[in-house]
Amino acid sequence: MRDDNVKSAGAGAAAAAISRGEAPQAESEELIRRRRFLQAGVGVGIALTVGGISILSVTSSLHPIEKATPETEPPAPGDKLVFADEQTHVLVPSDLQIGAAPQMVYPMDPKTKVVKGGTANNLALVGRFDPANLSADTKPHAAGGIVAYSAICTHLGCTVSLWDPKEEWMHCPCHHARFDPRNDAKVMEGPAPRPLPVLPLNMDGNDVVVAAGFLSPTGPQ
C-alpha cells in the first residue's frame, strides 16, 4: 500500500481519475497493484498510515431505499465483483495479495454490466488469505482463500475501513470494532454486536463471482 495521503470525495473522483488512465500508461499496472483500501461513492474519506496501520477514515450514509433499481439490487449468484473506486475493473485473484488489506468492491450483473453501487449496503470487503489459515466455518464460503464480507459495521453503520497487517484484522474507524476475516469476520474486540455479514464466493474461470447473497442482514439491526 502507498504511504502518501489520498483524498477521495463523492465517487472517489481522484482515485478514479488515476484508474481511468489519466496517469501515464506505464504506471497503470503498478497503480492497480498498489490499489488502496478505498471507499468510493458512499461518503468522504482521507487515507493515511500511522504506526504501520493503514487507515481510511470515512463516513457513509445508509438511507432507506424506497424503490429498488438495478443499481440497488442486492448481490445475486453469478455477479462479478468490481473495485469500488472505479467500478470498471473486474476482480481476479491476481489483484489480491495474501494477507494484504482487503479491497472494497461492488457486485456487478454480468449480463447487463450494471454495477450495484447505488447503495452502501452492497459495499463489500474482499481479502485473500492462505486457505490453511481459514476457519472451518469460513472455508465453505471462500474461493481459493478469497473471502468477502459486508463493509458496513454492524454497530452503527460506519464503513469498516482500517486494516492492521500484524493482527490481520479489519477495524471500524468509528468505535473500533475489530473483525477477523479468516474466521467469518467474527467480532474480536469492540462494541459490534455481531460479525460482518458473509458474502459467499465461487470461481468462474479466472473471475471471482458471488455464490449467494449476504448470509445475514447488512448494517446495524
Side-chain angles (χ1 to χ4, degrees):
M1 295 181 67
R2 295 176 300 186
D3 291 330
D4 54 303
N5 289 356
V6 177
K7 294 184 179 180
S8 64
I18 294 175
S19 300
R20 286 195 301 268
E22 294 176 19
Q25 185 173 356
E27 296 178 6
S28 61
E29 292 185 1
E30 177 63 15
L31 289 171
I32 290 174
R33 287 194 296 269
R34 296 162 62 195
R35 191 180 302 274
R36 296 292 313 232
F37 186 28
L38 284 176
Q39 156 72 5
V42 287
V44 177
I46 299 176
L48 64 156
T49 301
V50 178
I53 298 179
S54 300
I55 300 174
L56 177 60
S57 178
V58 299
T59 59
S60 65
S61 179
L62 298 179
H63 297 295
I65 299 172
E66 295 182 359
K67 183 178 180 180
T69 66
E71 291 79 13
T72 60
E73 289 288 343
D79 281 356
K80 296 186 178 182
L81 301 174
V82 297
F83 286 105
D85 58 347
E86 62 179 41
Q87 301 186 21
T88 57
H89 183 87
V90 176
L91 180 77
V92 294
S94 59
D95 291 321
L96 304 171
Q97 296 181 0
I98 292 178
Q103 301 292 307
M104 289 193 177
V105 298
Y106 284 120
M108 181 189 75
D109 187 313
K111 295 181 179 179
T112 64
K113 308 300 181 185
V114 171
V115 176
K116 300 177 179 179
T119 170
N121 290 314
N122 286 344
L123 190 65
L125 292 164
V126 178
R128 187 176 186 181
F129 303 92
D130 184 339
N133 293 333
L134 298 180
S135 71
D137 291 337
T138 304
K139 288 180 179 179
H141 309 138
I146 299 174
V147 293
Y149 304 100
S150 170
I152 306 305
C153 186
T154 56
H155 179 220
L156 292 178
C158 295
T159 305
V160 177
S161 53
L162 284 68
W163 175 247
D164 184 341
K166 182 178 179 180
E167 298 288 349
E168 294 190 347
W169 287 349
M170 303 179 295
H171 298 195
C172 178
C174 292
H175 301 95
H176 302 290
R178 303 185 180 195
F179 306 89
D180 185 353
R182 297 158 297 178
N183 189 17
D184 269 4
K186 290 184 178 179
V187 182
M188 306 307 293
E189 294 180 5
R194 60 191 178 90
L196 297 175
V198 174
L199 183 64
L201 301 177
N202 275 330
M203 294 299 301
D204 181 11
N206 194 42
D207 293 333
V208 182
V209 300
V210 174
F214 287 110
L215 299 186
S216 58
T218 60
Q221 300 299 306

